[in-house]
Structure formats: C-alpha cells, structure tokens
Amino acid sequence: MRSSLRGIHVALLACLGLGWALGAAAPLAGQEGLPRLTKNPVANVAFSRLLEAARAEPQNWLTYGGGYDNHRHSALQQVNTGNVGQLQPAWTKQFGKPNGFESTPIVVDGVMYVTTGGHTAVWALDARTGKEYWHHQHYVPDDVAACCDKVNRGVAVADGKVFFVTLDAQLLALDAMSGKPMWKVRFGDPREAHTATLAPLVVKDKVIVGISGAEYGIRGFIDAYDMKTGKQAWRFWTIPGPGEPGNETWGGTEAWRTGGGSAWITGAYDSELDMLYWTVGNPGPDYNGEVRPGDNLYTNSVVALDPDDGTRRWHFQWTPHDVWDYDGVNEVILADLPIGGRSTKALIHADKNGFFYALDRTNGKFLYAKEFARQTWAQKVDPATGRPTINPKAIPGSNYTPGCPGPAGAKEWNHMAFSPQTGLAYIPVIENCAFFRTGQAFFGRGLPFWGSFATADAFGPGESHGFLKAVNAATGEEAWKIKSDHPVMSGVLSTAGGLVFWGEAEGTFHATDAKTGKDLWTANVGSGIHAPPITYAIDGQQYVALAAGWGGWVDGFAPELRSAPRGHSLVVYRLGGGAPPATRTAEAGAR
Ligand code: CA
C-alpha cells in the first residue's frame, strides 16, 4: 500500500516536473528544411506606419482591427461585387487542433503571422503559398483554468518583433525573422486563474494587453509594457481599490477583491485625442449580485485611458450591476458619424446585452442605444444618460428565471465591421435565451466563482438562431439582415469592393453585397467559423484569409452544436484560385 502510494507520488512528481519543463521556453520546433526569411519583414514597422496602416498600405493587414479604429474595413477592391463568384481556394493550412480557431492573421509584405489555440503557438507563413518559415510552440500547463476553450486571437507586430500572449498569461516578443524569443514577461498568475487570449496592441513604444479570468474571481487589469525591453510601464486595475474613484460602487464590501473585470478584447486608439479605449468584462460572481451591492465599476464598461500612463479619462457602463454575465467586453469601433445633424467623433459598440450603442468618444457622453436582438432584461434605456431600467422579473432568483439574451449574449466577442462607404455596421447576432439561477458564491483561489449558473439550451431546438445584421451606425436602424439556423459566431470583414465576408456556425463562408445584403458567393470550410476574415494583396493579387475551426464556449451560445466537427484550418482565396506559378517542373516520364 505504502509503496504503491509512493509510486503514485513519484509518478505525480514526474508529471509535475514534465509540466514545468514544458512550461518553460520551448525550443523552436520543426525548423529543419524550411525556407528561411532573409530579412525581417517587421524591421521597419514603427508606430508611424501602424497609424496609417489602413489608408496607406491596404495590401497589408498590420493591426488586429485592420487599423487603430477597428473598422475591419479594407480599401482593396480587386475582389468586388462583380467578380466575387470567381473566388477559389488559393491554399489551406491545417494545424490539427481541436480548439476554437479565433485568430486574426497579421500580414506584412507577403509574410503572415498567425496564432493557434490549444498550447499557444505562433506561425510565420508565406502569405502567397501557406509555406511555413518558422513556428514557435509554447506549452501551457494542463491545469490552467480556461473557462471557455484554449484559444488565442492573434499577434501584434512592430520594431522587428512579433508580440503575443500565452494562455498561462505571459507576454512574449519574438524576432519576426527567426521566431527566436527576445523577451518575455509573466503578467498574470495561472494559480489565481489569470489567463490571456487576446491579441496585444502596440501604441507608440508600448505593448498593451488585458487579462482574462473573471469567471474565477480575479481582480482584472490592463497592462502596458515597453516594446524594447518588456519592462512594465503601467497597470490600470479594472476594479478600483479602496480610496480609488469607483470603489464606492462596490457597496463598501470587500467584493472588489474578487470583482472580475477581465479585459480580453483588443482596444482601439485615437491618435488625435491620444486616447486608448478598452472594454471591461463581467463582475464576479457572475450570477450572484447580492454579495456585490452597487454598480460594480468598471465592469461591463468601456474605459478611455491615457496610453502613456494608463490614467483614466472617462468611462461608460453598459450594464450596471450585471447578473447575467452580459460582460460588455465586445470590441469598440471608432467612426466619425453624422449623429443628430452634426459630424460626431463616435465610438460604436454592439453589447452582449442586446443594445447597439453610440458614444461621443471625446468625453464618453451617451448618444443613443438601440436594440439589435431580443432582450428582456431592460425596460428602457434613459435617452439622456444611457442608464438602463432593469426589468425586476429578469433578475435571477433561486428558481430558474428566463431571460434574453442568454449568457453568451446577443453578440459574442466575434468582431463586427464598419464600412465608411455604406455607413453600416455589420453585426454577427445571436438570438437565444436562457434560464438563469442565482446561488451562493464561495470563493476559492483559482476555482470557478459563478454564484450558480445559466442553462442556454432550455428553450429547445430551433429557438437558438442568428443573423448577420447591417445597422446604420449613425442611428442604430436596421438596414438588412440575413438569417442563419444557428447563432452567427464569426467576425466580419468589410471591403471597398462592396463586400462583407462572414461565416456561419456550421461552416459556410459568405461574401455578401454590403449595400443590399444579397448573398453573392459561399464556400464550405468544413468546420464552424469564429474568427474574423482578413484581406491582403501580394504583387497586385488580392487574397481573402479565414481561420476556420469550431470551439469556444459552445454550451453558452449554440448547445445544439456541442458535437459539431472541430478543426483548425487557415483557408485563403483569390480570384481564379490555385497556387502561384508552378514551384515544381515536370520531368519526362520513362517509356
Ligand atoms: Ca464573462
């Protein structure tokens, strides 16, 4: 008995030891025999170039949102409403992971940088053929708390480096030519359930990241690091401590210590105002509000920060005192819009709570909110302040309480796009409801801290569906919509060719007329779509790229697709399709 116990103990230690070894910096793998990059594609990518990325170099996709304004709109128009029917596969790359593939590829002068899920990895590929230059594999300890799948959303590039976060909350800088690590910092503690999944954002000389883990009672933060050295420049706590403005919204309790407030979606930046906009997620515990009386700032909010020191300039809260995990972390888009008869520096946002918002991004003033999906939690939104009046019947009780949207929201993190040509925002919409229940919340370090739960499949088959909706960004009025049998969980790309590219949960990739909503082209990519498509050009040839692979928190948004096929394929299209001119020459056959 004793010896067998000791055997187990030794085996356990061996496993732990292995875990540590794997958790350490892994050697570059699979590099033998690969083509080499002969110069660093990112060597000349500096802040000045990132600022003008969308306007000056549409052939590249240099930042996560396709520009600091997050429009995800490309000026490329070789592929357009007239010829999109000729779009054919150029190449695909399979990564063989069973996790959601949520990455936005970055493309710099013909080189693509993309991250994959599971154990976080970064790949440098020839964007014309998909051939690998190098990859960097990071191994994540198996016990890392990942509420909603082991995913990663992409890299940032600047200063010769590729920046990415790992699921176990480290930020790494790799040499963009060789993949060799230049520096790394651990910005969260996995034992506290700190995790990281977002694409970093480079602003000036800093790399900005946010933490995940609000489902485990963390206290959230947004961090900035010097891009040359990895030295921390500032931290903004999304949950204010005693003596800090906003702490009074935690009812004088200690609940701020476990108050949540993840910041897992990449922000936006306005260089004229010199303001960084970052969204903050749900409070902890998710479904029990009794232990955290008050509005619980800055959860379910957008904060405008000084990018140099992290000082808060203003904030706006979408859902005060959230008890449905409506979260508020979805992306913000910066656009100058004709609102109320004058050109307005606006910030637009489609929240999980079912409302589409426009704010004045100079000061955070509320402009309007409009429902874009079925919602039952708010009786109205104050037209002057944007503050909702809560429907008391929607507040979770100890019995199951029906509410819409469900806990995945009316829109998940998957990014909408905005076209300055049409003035429309293209929103991936989830239509589903759930039963919410509140219960006691017991905090244990690194353990789930939900305060009971919600069940999303209670309404039966067919209840849960989705749309791609085009909404006039100046008014919130719907222009057109396309129904899908399942929630639409993909990101969206808009192009100057008059197209929007988006995908369905069962794997159909679409190109749709941006003005009319007429579907012009589809392709079956073989697995459900989460990621936003991007577009780029090499030698005058336009490509459209999509990371396809089902996963994420499927139980929350489409439980009917729990067992849908997984995959991790990068699929790339161009007019006429096929590979570029032959890379092999035929030999005459033997007679
Ligand atoms: Ca959440």
Side-chain angles (χ1 to χ4, degrees), residues 40-41 113 134 160-162 173-183:
N40 188 324
Y113 296 98
W134 53 258
K161 303 185 185 77
V162 177
L174 307 179
D175 179 292
M177 187 166 86
S178 66
K180 187 170 156 271
M182 308 292 282
W183 55 258

Side-chain angles (χ1 to χ4, degrees), residues 61 71-88 416-427 468 470 480 482 491-503 509-522 533-535 542-545 573-575:
W61 192 276
H71 286 187
R72 290 185 179 270
H73 174 83
S74 167
L76 295 181
Q77 46 187 308
Q78 182 180 72
V79 179
N80 56 50
T81 51
N83 62 17
V84 68
Q86 298 161 35
L87 217 49
Q88 295 281 347
M416 62 178 180
F418 168 73
S419 166
Q421 285 180 334
T422 61
L424 301 175
Y426 303 95
I427 313 172
L468 180 73
W480 52 260
I482 299 180
V492 184
L493 165 71
S494 153
T495 74
L499 297 167
V500 283
F501 291 89
W502 60 286
F509 187 30
H510 294 254
T512 299
D513 187 313
K515 269 204 196 97
T516 64
K518 185 172 180 229
D519 224 12
L520 299 176
W521 170 87
T522 60
I534 62 143
T535 187
Q542 184 180 354
Y543 296 79
V544 176
Y573 299 85
R574 67 177 184 130
L575 293 177

Side-chain angles (χ1 to χ4, degrees), residues 147-148 214-215 262 264 281-283 286-287 322 324-329 352 407 553:
C147 71
C148 313
E215 268 64 55
S262 298
W264 51 276
N282 60 279
D286 301 47
Y287 305 119
D322 176 18
W324 304 274
D325 193 15
Y326 285 161
D327 215 309
V329 82
K352 275 177 73 174
W553 188 40

Side-chain angles (χ1 to χ4, degrees), residues 255-335:
W256 62 273
R257 292 182 187 279
T258 52
S262 298
W264 51 276
I265 287 298
T266 309
Y269 172 67
D270 182 321
S271 61
E272 269 178 43
L273 298 167
D274 197 26
M275 275 190 209
L276 174 69
Y277 305 91
W278 215 276
T279 46
V280 182
N282 60 279
D286 301 47
Y287 305 119
N288 179 335
E290 282 180 17
V291 299
R292 44 176 175 83
D295 282 358
N296 307 142
L297 290 173
Y298 297 98
T299 62
N300 299 66
S301 299
V302 56
V303 291
L305 304 178
D306 183 323
D308 296 326
D309 60 13
T311 314
R312 183 180 52 88
R313 303 265 188 83
W314 56 258
H315 75 276
F316 179 86
Q317 190 174 39
W318 328 106
T319 314
H321 193 73
D322 176 18
V323 285
W324 304 274
D325 193 15
Y326 285 161
D327 215 309
V329 82
N330 290 349
E331 78 289 358
V332 291
I333 290 180
L334 313 183

Side-chain angles (χ1 to χ4, degrees), residues 1-230:
M1 179 72 177
R2 179 174 284 186
S3 68
S4 73
L5 266 181
R6 193 157 51 226
I8 289 167
H9 190 61
V10 168
L12 190 65
L13 278 178
C15 285
L16 286 170
L18 185 64
W20 285 328
L22 292 173
L28 296 177
Q31 315 292 302
E32 294 307 314
L34 294 177
R36 301 259 167 199
L37 283 165
T38 50
K39 63 178 181 136
N40 188 324
V42 181
N44 298 317
V45 178
F47 179 55
S48 55
R49 220 173 128 187
L50 296 178
L51 269 179
E52 295 295 320
R55 191 190 59 77
E57 40 187 311
Q59 75 277 16
N60 289 328
W61 192 276
L62 282 188
T63 72
Y64 180 70
Y68 281 124
D69 51 20
N70 279 348
H71 286 187
R72 290 185 179 270
H73 174 83
S74 167
L76 295 181
Q77 46 187 308
Q78 182 180 72
V79 179
N80 56 50
T81 51
N83 62 17
V84 68
Q86 298 161 35
L87 217 49
Q88 295 281 347
W91 55 267
T92 66
K93 184 167 175 64
Q94 312 280 353
F95 295 93
K97 312 266 183 146
N99 312 87
F101 196 7
E102 302 191 350
S103 191
T104 294
I106 294 291
V107 177
V108 192
D109 300 335
V111 179
M112 178 184 285
Y113 296 98
V114 65
T115 58
T116 48
H119 294 286
T120 319
V122 180
W123 304 73
L125 308 174
D126 182 335
R128 189 195 312 250
T129 61
K131 290 221 167 101
E132 177 185 339
Y133 292 119
W134 53 258
H135 73 270
H136 176 86
Q137 179 68 62
H138 175 87
Y139 291 95
V140 177
D142 284 338
D143 58 351
V144 162
C147 71
C148 313
D149 203 357
K150 295 175 176 175
V151 297
N152 188 282
R153 300 197 181 80
V155 305
V157 294
D159 193 38
K161 303 185 185 77
V162 177
F163 305 99
F164 76 106
V165 300
T166 67
L167 191 66
D168 55 334
Q170 300 187 62
L171 169 64
L172 275 80
L174 307 179
D175 179 292
M177 187 166 86
S178 66
K180 187 170 156 271
M182 308 292 282
W183 55 258
K184 69 171 173 177
V185 291
R186 182 174 281 291
F187 65 102
D189 183 349
R191 293 168 302 182
E192 307 253 349
H194 289 146
T195 51
T197 56
L198 84 176
L201 186 71
V202 169
V203 176
K204 302 183 195 179
D205 58 350
K206 296 181 178 66
V207 190
I208 299 161
V209 293
I211 200 73
S212 303
E215 268 64 55
Y216 300 81
I218 66 157
R219 180 188 178 203
F221 53 83
I222 300 160
D223 275 5
Y225 295 87
D226 183 291
M227 86 180 166
K228 299 236 179 261
T229 62

Side-chain angles (χ1 to χ4, degrees), residues 91 231 276 281 302 371 382 388 449 538 562:
W91 55 267
K231 185 170 180 288
L276 174 69
V302 56
E371 279 178 42
D382 185 302
F449 188 52
I538 304 169
R562 272 183 193 120

